[in-house]
């Protein structure tokens, strides 16, 4: 359990800019940073329009941003934030296997909104889960499937293999595997999910279909309104005002997740505004 003034969710320019300014405003800061090496900016070979750093690569820029935030005293949890819930005057968020309690939250999750499988959204919490730690115990001794788009699924699959009677592992996108995983690697690309008459989940893949007691799905990003129930969106972006405030109390958003233009300078500027707004609101409560 960690306690802080602000939990910043994300690991791109918006998150690091927000963390830096929040620290300068005297706030304690935790950053939930899923592997930034898989983020958008890491793919950019050369950036020419970020002032002061000509011809820098995305990797280099991210490294410098992160280091500066860390040096300023931001505490970094290298894990995916899965879900936030209101708790007292603030929020409780599951980050990897940690619970983080914060007075405010800043969403800096980038633009990626995962494409869900047909049937997935309606079955969430009813046999389909995005969190092994939260729901794994409900499937003790049962048959489950893991559908994973990234290496984070390996750890979850190993955890579930210690609980379930049998785990099948399917790839939503290819990623490395340990030499002897404690689960069965299955061929076939997942296509759809549906409920069966006896309360199981029918997974259809390019190779056929099979029913499971539970299906766990892991991706390197979580849709913002799944992360924070009740969050208002405009299309697939988070709705914010000029202070970067969302519709939820002391929840702010910045960067690509708030909309166009999808640019580093805009993300950095919005991260700065979100930190100043959060600091002002927290100092006045
Ligand atoms: C190939 C390429 C080249 C580009 N070139 C330029 C350029 O030259 N100039 C320019 O201005 N812009 C460029 N861009 C756009 C730029 O990368 C984005 O505008 C910028 O990175 C947005 O920053 P952000 O912090 O909002 O989001 P992102 O950089 O997308 O960072 C968000 C991060 O948060 C992490 N995350 C998401 N959800 C969670 C969660 N639930 N828990 C924990 N972490 C989470 C993600 O893994 C991701 O790493 C380029 C983009 C690409 C793909």
């Amino acid at each position: 359990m960690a306690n802080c003034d602000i939990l910043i969710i994300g690991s791109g320019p918006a998150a690091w800019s927000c963390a830096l300014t929040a620290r300068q405003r005297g706030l304690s800061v935790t950053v939930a940073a899923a592997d930034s090496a898989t983020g958008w900016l890491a793919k950019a070979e050369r950036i020419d329009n970020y002032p002061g750093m000509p011809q820098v690569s995305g990797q280099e820029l991210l490294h410098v941003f992160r280091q500066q935030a860390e040096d300023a005293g931001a505490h970094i949890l290298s894990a995916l934030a899965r879900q936030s819930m209101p708790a007292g005057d603030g929020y409780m968020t599951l980050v990897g296997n940690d619970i983080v309690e914060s007075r405010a939250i800043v969403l800096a999750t980038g633009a990626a909104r995962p494409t869900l499988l047909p049937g997935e959204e309606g079955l969430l919490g009813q046999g389909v889960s995005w969190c092994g730690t939260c729901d794994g115990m409900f499937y003790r001794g049962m048959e489950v499937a893991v559908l994973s788009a990234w290496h984070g699924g390996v750890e979850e699959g190993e955890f579930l293999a210690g609980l379930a009677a049998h785990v099948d592992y399917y790839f939503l996108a290819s990623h490395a595997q340990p030499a002897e995983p404690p689960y069965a690697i299955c061929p076939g690309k997942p296509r759809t999910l549906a409920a069966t008459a006896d309360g199981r989940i029918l997974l259809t893949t390019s190779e056929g279909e099979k029913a499971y007691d539970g299906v766990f799905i892991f991706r390197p990003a979580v849709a913002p309104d799944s992360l924070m129930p009740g969050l208002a969106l405009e299309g697939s972006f988070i709705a914010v005002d000029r202070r970067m405030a969302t519709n939820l109390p002391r929840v702010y958003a910045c960067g690509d997740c708030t909309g166009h233009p999808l640019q580093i300078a805009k993300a950095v500027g919005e991260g700065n505004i979100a930190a100043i707004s959060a600091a002002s609101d927290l100092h006045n409560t």
Side-chain angles (χ1 to χ4, degrees):
M1 182 93 74
N3 295 291
C4 56
D5 291 322
I6 301 193
L7 171 68
I8 299 167
I9 300 178
S11 54
W16 302 126
S17 163
C18 184
L20 184 62
T21 299
R23 285 298 301 140
Q24 286 174 334
R25 292 278 166 142
L27 301 177
S28 58
V29 175
T30 298
V31 184
D35 191 358
S36 53
T38 61
W40 281 116
L41 186 51
K43 299 183 195 340
E45 280 181 23
R46 189 176 129 167
I47 293 150
D48 281 323
N49 69 335
Y50 190 70
M53 299 179 76
Q55 301 186 8
V56 67
S57 75
Q59 288 275 15
E60 283 171 277
L61 191 61
L62 277 173
H63 175 73
V64 174
F65 281 166
R66 179 182 172 130
Q67 192 62 54
Q68 200 177 359
E70 209 167 357
D71 291 346
H75 174 63
I76 299 171
L77 288 175
S78 298
L80 194 69
R82 300 164 195 274
Q83 193 156 41
S84 292
M85 296 285 185
D89 284 347
Y91 293 90
M92 222 163 69
T93 304
L94 183 67
V95 181
N97 292 328
D98 288 312
I99 302 276
V100 177
E101 281 185 359
S102 61
R103 298 170 66 205
I105 290 188
V106 177
L107 298 165
T109 51
R113 186 179 162 84
T115 309
L116 305 187
L117 292 172
E120 179 175 342
E121 195 163 358
L123 291 169
L124 268 180
Q126 295 169 51
V128 173
S129 169
W130 290 347
C131 177
T133 311
C134 320
D135 298 329
M137 68 278 232
F138 298 125
Y139 298 93
R140 197 179 284 278
M142 298 188 191
E143 204 171 7
V144 306
V146 167
L147 280 47
S148 182
W150 71 315
H151 60 81
V154 171
E155 195 182 323
E156 299 281 359
E158 289 172 343
F159 171 69
L160 289 168
L163 292 171
H166 180 81
V167 178
D168 281 341
Y169 195 108
Y170 296 85
F171 292 93
L172 290 168
S174 65
H175 50 271
Q177 284 291 320
E180 291 182 18
Y183 41 75
I185 303 270
C186 296
K189 182 98 175 146
R191 293 261 164 83
T192 62
L193 296 166
T196 65
D198 61 351
R200 303 183 88 208
I201 303 293
L202 185 70
L203 168 67
T204 305
T205 74
S206 54
E207 302 289 313
E209 53 184 38
K210 184 171 174 182
Y212 293 94
D213 298 303
V215 173
F216 289 81
I217 304 177
F218 304 110
R219 301 187 181 88
V222 178
D225 50 340
S226 311
L227 192 61
M228 296 223 62
L231 187 69
L233 300 183
E234 272 172 16
S236 58
F237 296 113
I238 301 170
V240 284
D241 62 17
R242 287 181 63 85
R243 302 176 69 245
M244 300 295 125
T246 71
N247 64 313
L248 300 176
R250 291 191 302 285
V251 177
Y252 311 83
C254 50
D256 280 7
C257 64
T258 69
H260 293 278
L262 308 184
Q263 290 282 284
I264 300 162
K266 181 250 191 193
V268 166
E270 287 191 356
N272 169 270
I273 297 170
I276 291 171
S277 301
S280 157
D281 292 347
L282 288 177
H283 287 143
N284 290 327
T285 51

